[in-house]
Amino acid sequence: MFTLTRADGYLLTTDPAQLDLDRVHHWLSTDAYWALGRDRETVERAFAGSIPFGVYRPGDGRQVAVARVVTDRATFAWLCDVYVDRAERGHGIGTWLAGAVRDHLAELGVRRIVLATNDAHGVYAKVGFTPVHPERWMELDRRNQPVTQITGNEQSGVTPLTVEA
């Protein structure tokens, strides 16, 4: 577990027991453009399978920010679901959180971290993130398509995703 305290008393930890998943679900499902409408169970499963980073306010310990890292803990990580409570923005918490994620992953030996953002490029640039080369990166995005099991009889030329029950 990774824990860090900022000079003004904000606490950052990867302790999953400290996450206020009801609050995180509310933030993501109602105010985060990339996760609008995401159900509570999906948020819970996503955080359970990732490294969670929570930031907590000094004094009352209320959670004020969150981030999730999907990683093999050796070579690669995807930083996602980064959210700072609207009332806490403008105090450098997002930059501090992104820098702490970067530093913790470096301690694990992770050398490549990717993320996607529509509006926070400046926050991530402050801690060393740069735009990627679009000619190198590709994706398969099936968020709006049904997922079917592989049967070995597919004729469409598109291999469906495997779903485990």
Side-chain angles (χ1 to χ4, degrees):
M1 187 170 25
F2 176 73
T3 302
L4 185 65
T5 303
R6 206 163 81 159
D8 58 3
Y10 282 90
L11 172 72
L12 179 147
T13 182
T14 59
D15 182 357
Q18 292 221 196
L19 285 178
D20 182 344
L21 281 175
D22 290 329
R23 189 164 172 79
V24 170
H25 171 252
H26 176 76
W27 286 335
L28 296 179
S29 67
T30 65
D31 195 40
Y33 65 84
W34 65 90
L36 293 175
R38 188 179 290 172
D39 64 79
R40 172 70 162 70
E41 192 245 338
T42 298
V43 170
E44 189 172 332
R45 285 188 305 126
F47 276 86
S50 306
I51 300 175
F53 287 78
V55 177
Y56 305 88
R57 189 168 49 207
D60 63 6
R62 184 172 174 89
Q63 187 168 354
V64 298
V66 70
R68 182 168 70 88
V69 175
V70 181
T71 182
D72 59 10
R73 292 176 165 82
T75 63
F76 179 81
W78 170 39
L79 173 57
C80 56
D81 289 340
V82 179
Y83 187 91
V84 177
D85 188 292
R86 287 189 175 273
E88 300 287 335
R89 293 180 187 174
H91 302 289
I93 292 171
T95 302
W96 181 59
L97 174 57
V101 168
R102 175 203 61 204
D103 295 348
H104 178 60
L105 293 173
E107 290 174 4
L108 298 176
V110 174
R111 295 174 43 113
R112 175 170 280 166
I113 306 168
V114 298
L115 62 84
T117 184
N118 281 342
D119 58 1
H121 297 83
V123 170
Y124 299 111
K126 289 177 187 175
V127 297
F129 285 85
T130 58
V132 296
H133 302 283
E135 67 275 3
R136 290 186 184 180
W137 292 92
M138 298 177 71
E139 76 173 340
L140 174 62
D141 186 348
R142 292 193 173 178
R143 287 176 285 190
N144 294 322
Q145 297 176 7
V147 178
T148 58
Q149 291 189 351
I150 295 177
T151 64
N153 298 322
E154 287 75 22
Q155 300 296 318
S156 68
V158 176
T159 305
L161 297 175
T162 301
V163 176
E164 294 183 17

